[in-house]
Amino acid sequence: MQEIAELNQRGAAAELGYKTLPQVLRHAVRWDPTTARRWVEQAVLLSSEITPTGSEITPALPVTAAAAAEGALSLDHVAAVAEAMKTLPAEVENLVVECARDHEPAAVRTFGKDLAYGLYQNDPEPRDPEPAPEGNRLTLRQNKAGDWKLAATLDALTGAKFATLLDPLAKPRPATDEGPDPRSLDERQGDALAELIDLMLRADQLPEHGGEPVTLTLTMAYRDLAEQTGHAVLDNGERIPADQVRQLACSAGIIPMVMGGRSQPLDVGRRSRLFTAGIRRALVARDHGCAFPGCSRPPKHCDAHHIHHWADGGDTRIDNGVLLCRHHHTLIHRSGWEVKIEHGLPVFYAPTWLDPLRKPRRNQLHTAA
């Protein structure tokens, strides 16, 4: 753990072209992100600044650091001790560590609270902070059946504006021979929200994703499109039956991407310094998101990257581009990672310090339809 703390203090991640040390550990020792992040967090908790000579690390929790070095404390125990010591003076650290040596982390937290109460029970009660005003929040989740669940909290002004947009669309439909509108208020408001989304897709002033207005891309084999069979795939991986594709393709903001027989995108753009919207859509159809090995970021979180940089004479075309999320785009530019197009697909090569053999790697998380 001391070695990890020293790597963190010396800025090893930046020297290797990475943003954080957990990302280095993830590639170097193949830890999952949660494990790597916890190790670094615990190392930081147990250490302070390196001395001017750079030869030692002075622990911020010296008793805890010593016990951890012995192997007497787990990561969870270290976290429990560190949490308890936030409200305790340094001179009682040995008491908390002795508790941690004999008990589980939950007991250490309870012991720390009891100890703090005993030390500070005669102090005046702190005033409760004034509750902060609630801001806008939105929870959007997709369940296993493919449906989306939405919950939102809006401030008074935003809520009023949203209700103003929704109300005229949520009014009951006029009565027909079959009777009045059978939908409940919740159903009418749900249909109104769906209609509002369609209206937004047809608007001419939308925010951008990756340099182009928000669009929904449908990918479909040419034969299936011609014969109206099979299905299309949205850029988030959802499948749409062929009988719905024609209706969707009539809406502005929904782009059909027709694939050739070998799943190679047809010509959709011209050369320019910047990737055109057409070329970007072709990259989305090919890469399905960030192409870096192990990354699951969707297309809307990605930039189009020149493999052979434009300033160095590289063309702006499909076989010189790759989709990368902002983190991996930065990593490719600043580290020893390389990407090439081989057999029409992006292939990555790690720096020699990470993989001396430089074996080719591909992202297996994004699968073509």
Side-chain angles (χ1 to χ4, degrees):
M1 190 171 293
Q2 181 171 338
E3 290 81 1
I4 294 176
E6 187 165 357
L7 287 172
N8 186 68
Q9 294 285 0
R10 295 183 185 279
E15 292 179 6
L16 295 171
Y18 286 71
K19 188 176 180 180
T20 65
L21 188 58
Q23 293 162 358
V24 176
L25 296 176
R26 183 182 178 186
H27 285 156
V29 293
R30 298 183 299 281
W31 282 346
D32 64 71
T34 301
T35 300
R37 185 167 55 252
R38 289 184 64 205
W39 272 92
V40 174
E41 288 173 353
Q42 302 313 319
V44 171
L45 283 174
L46 295 178
S47 65
S48 60
E49 296 182 359
I50 298 177
T51 60
T53 61
S55 58
E56 298 178 356
I57 293 180
T58 304
L61 298 173
V63 182
T64 310
E70 294 173 16
L73 302 183
S74 68
L75 289 179
D76 290 333
H77 282 92
V78 171
V81 173
E83 181 180 334
M85 290 305 300
K86 289 179 181 178
T87 58
L88 293 170
E91 54 266 25
V92 301
E93 183 191 356
N94 61 316
L95 297 178
V96 181
V97 172
E98 286 304 313
C99 176
R101 286 177 178 271
D102 298 327
H103 301 283
E104 66 276 9
V108 176
R109 293 187 179 90
T110 301
F111 176 77
K113 291 177 181 178
D114 292 342
L115 190 57
Y117 179 79
L119 290 173
Y120 305 125
Q121 62 178 328
N122 295 324
D123 289 0
E125 291 291 333
R127 293 184 59 187
D128 292 332
E130 293 293 330
E134 291 193 23
N136 295 320
R137 295 196 302 276
L138 174 68
T139 302
L140 185 62
R141 299 286 186 271
Q142 189 175 24
N143 62 25
K144 293 181 179 179
D147 297 327
W148 294 84
K149 304 294 183 182
L150 180 150
T153 300
L154 304 177
D155 61 52
L157 178 59
T158 305
K161 290 189 289 187
F162 180 66
T164 299
L165 290 172
L166 212 60
D167 283 348
L169 302 174
K171 291 184 180 300
R173 295 168 185 154
T176 65
D177 293 339
E178 297 177 350
D181 189 344
R183 297 175 300 163
S184 66
L185 175 61
D186 287 350
E187 290 172 331
R188 296 202 312 270
Q189 291 184 150
D191 290 342
L193 179 58
E195 188 172 349
L196 187 61
I197 292 171
D198 288 338
L199 289 171
M200 286 298 297
L201 284 172
R202 292 191 291 271
D204 58 1
Q205 292 183 339
L206 288 176
E208 293 187 347
H209 271 312
E212 67 171 312
V214 175
T215 57
L216 186 62
T217 302
L218 292 170
T219 304
M220 191 174 187
Y222 177 77
R223 177 178 296 178
D224 289 347
L225 179 65
E227 298 177 359
Q228 287 293 295
T229 60
H231 61 265
V233 181
L234 299 177
D235 49 12
N236 65 358
E238 289 294 315
R239 289 171 168 79
I240 300 296
D243 58 2
Q244 297 182 24
V245 173
R246 187 180 300 275
Q247 176 182 349
L248 287 172
C250 292
S251 302
I254 300 179
I255 310 290
M257 172 68 69
V258 181
M259 306 296 289
R262 299 182 65 183
S263 295
Q264 296 299 317
L266 305 179
D267 188 10
V268 292
R270 62 180 181 83
R271 291 182 180 179
S272 65
R273 186 179 67 85
L274 300 176
F275 283 95
T276 64
I279 295 178
R280 178 179 168 82
R281 289 194 291 271
L283 293 176
V284 169
R286 186 195 69 194
D287 297 345
H288 306 282
C290 179
F292 193 90
C295 185
S296 59
R297 289 283 186 176
K300 64 183 179 181
H301 294 168
C302 296
D303 300 324
H305 164 73
H306 283 86
I307 295 174
H308 182 200
H309 200 281
W310 185 85
D312 297 330
D315 292 330
T316 303
R317 61 175 189 265
I318 298 170
D319 58 1
N320 191 41
V322 61
L323 286 186
L324 295 171
C325 68
R326 291 297 172 89
H327 163 62
H328 289 121
H329 197 175
T330 301
L331 186 66
I332 288 291
H333 276 288
R334 296 184 180 179
S335 71
W337 280 89
E338 291 184 75
V339 56
K340 300 178 181 179
I341 298 296
E342 299 178 3
H343 306 294
L345 297 172
V347 178
F348 292 77
Y349 295 87
T352 53
W353 66 265
L354 178 59
D355 180 6
L357 299 178
R358 306 205 75 197
K359 296 178 293 185
R361 309 179 187 211
R362 283 191 53 210
N363 192 338
Q364 303 296 332
L365 298 183
H366 302 297
T367 56

